[in-house]
Amino acid sequence: MRIAVGFATRGRRKTIGQTLASLRAQSRAPDHVFVSITSREDIDEGDLQLFDHPTTVVENHKPGLCIQRNAILDRCSNFDLLLFFDDDFIIERDYISVMERLFSAEERIQMAIGTLILDGATGPGFTCAHAEAVIRSFKKQAQGVRDVFSAYGCNMAIRLRTVFQHGLRFDERLPLHGLLEDLSFSRTICHFGRIVQTTEAVGVHLGEKQGRVSGKRYGYSQVANPIYLRHRRLISLPTAALFVCKNLLANALRSMLPEAWIDRRGRLAGNLVALRDLLNGKLDPVRILDEL
């Protein structure tokens, strides 16, 4: 099985360097590493020269997670499996070998995610050193596989034969940070087989805060993107409503005493602009490309 690893990164030069370094410890090395950037400032070329396996830098002058991931997909027609990692996701040394065994064992598996030991996206985040120490001390469970509704974009493996047979791509109408792009892709590929989570492949999501979009744009996406996915019939109306209400309530309550690492007031403002657009018939995920 030929396995590629892909990273989409922007404005996190130091972080992507640390993440790439963690790949060198893999018991099963990837056959190729693709790094999608928006500027040469996004990466230190020296970080790529430390690999024994081939690496390709894909430069996209138009930023956006879905755009950058599609640029990687377009170069992977000769591979069997593509592992997408966020630029701040640190993996345990057997992660790639576990995914190779999993996909080799069952043809019906189309997407898979590992198990997060820690997820810094829900808090102030973690350092790379802390993540590596936690991974070293973690006692993995025996192999367990369960079906999930959606993959989690910080770490997901995709069977490429299905992708190219059916022309699947990430939805570029979910711009910039591409909120719910993982859900959108998952609910498309699920028609062809299983989406699973394995307990044997583990990692830590650092939750890097640098390089994020503004709180107002993110807040707009929290309303616009789930409603857009509902219009595409990828999720149900109750599921979309739950996403919107949960985010709106959290931002409204916590804006009075916001966390230091989240712009709650900006998110709430974006939520309200999106609700106004919904009432006016102008709601569209790509509106975040405009000045809100």
Side-chain angles (χ1 to χ4, degrees), residues 158-173:
I158 304 171
R159 191 182 296 278
L160 290 172
R161 183 178 66 240
T162 303
V163 169
F164 289 106
Q165 281 180 348
H166 300 280
L168 306 183
R169 289 296 184 272
F170 288 89
D171 190 342
E172 295 183 10
R173 289 195 64 79

Side-chain angles (χ1 to χ4, degrees), residues 90-285:
I90 307 299
I91 54 177
E92 191 265 342
R93 69 182 305 274
D94 292 327
Y95 191 105
I96 296 177
S97 65
V98 168
M99 288 299 180
E100 182 175 36
R101 290 198 306 272
L102 182 66
F103 279 81
S104 297
E106 185 179 337
E107 286 290 319
R108 290 192 64 247
I109 294 177
Q110 301 299 330
M111 288 184 76
I113 55 174
T115 297
L116 270 67
I117 305 172
L118 295 172
D119 188 359
T122 61
F126 305 102
T127 65
C128 184
H130 179 70
E132 291 172 344
V134 169
I135 289 172
R136 283 194 300 270
S137 63
F138 183 74
K139 296 186 184 302
K140 288 196 297 182
Q141 301 178 31
Q143 172 75 320
V145 177
R146 68 181 184 95
D147 289 273
V148 293
F149 185 73
S150 171
Y152 185 17
C154 66
N155 76 118
M156 54 188 180
I158 304 171
R159 191 182 296 278
L160 290 172
R161 183 178 66 240
T162 303
V163 169
F164 289 106
Q165 281 180 348
H166 300 280
L168 306 183
R169 289 296 184 272
F170 288 89
D171 190 342
E172 295 183 10
R173 289 195 64 79
L174 302 175
L176 299 182
H177 53 286
L179 184 66
L180 301 183
E181 102 294 339
D182 44 8
L183 176 60
S184 173
F185 194 91
S186 297
R187 301 319 298 165
T188 303
I189 203 171
C190 71
H191 297 293
F192 308 105
R194 300 174 67 195
I195 303 172
V196 301
Q197 180 181 37
T198 173
T199 59
E200 200 176 1
V202 300
V204 172
H205 189 199
L206 301 182
E208 173 65 60
K209 303 301 185 278
Q210 184 179 0
R212 289 192 168 185
V213 298
S214 70
K216 192 172 183 180
R217 280 176 163 166
Y218 194 87
Y220 191 94
S221 297
Q222 286 181 317
V223 174
N225 292 15
I227 292 175
Y228 169 73
L229 295 188
R230 167 56 189 161
H231 288 329
R232 287 193 58 204
R233 303 193 179 197
L234 295 177
I235 59 176
S236 67
L237 179 59
T239 299
L242 181 62
F243 274 117
V244 173
C245 293
K246 183 179 177 181
N247 289 322
L248 183 61
L249 184 61
N251 293 331
L253 292 177
R254 294 179 181 174
S255 63
M256 294 180 284
L257 192 63
E259 307 94 325
W261 56 89
I262 297 179
D263 180 10
R264 288 289 181 186
R265 290 167 186 163
R267 289 186 182 187
L268 180 59
N271 292 163
L272 296 177
V273 172
L275 290 174
R276 182 197 66 193
D277 282 359
L278 177 62
L279 294 175
N280 293 336
K282 297 179 180 179
L283 187 68
D284 191 328

Side-chain angles (χ1 to χ4, degrees), residues 1-45:
M1 181 173 282
R2 284 180 50 77
I3 300 177
V5 167
F7 296 95
T9 188
R10 183 189 183 201
R12 296 179 176 178
R13 184 184 181 98
K14 181 179 178 181
T15 302
I16 185 62
Q18 294 173 330
T19 307
L20 286 168
S22 74
L23 280 181
R24 294 200 296 271
Q26 284 294 293
S27 58
R28 197 288 193 198
D31 297 296
H32 204 110
V33 175
F34 294 91
V35 184
S36 183
I37 62 175
T38 62
S39 162
R40 286 287 163 174
E41 295 302 312
D42 289 334
I43 195 165
D44 184 339
E45 296 284 351

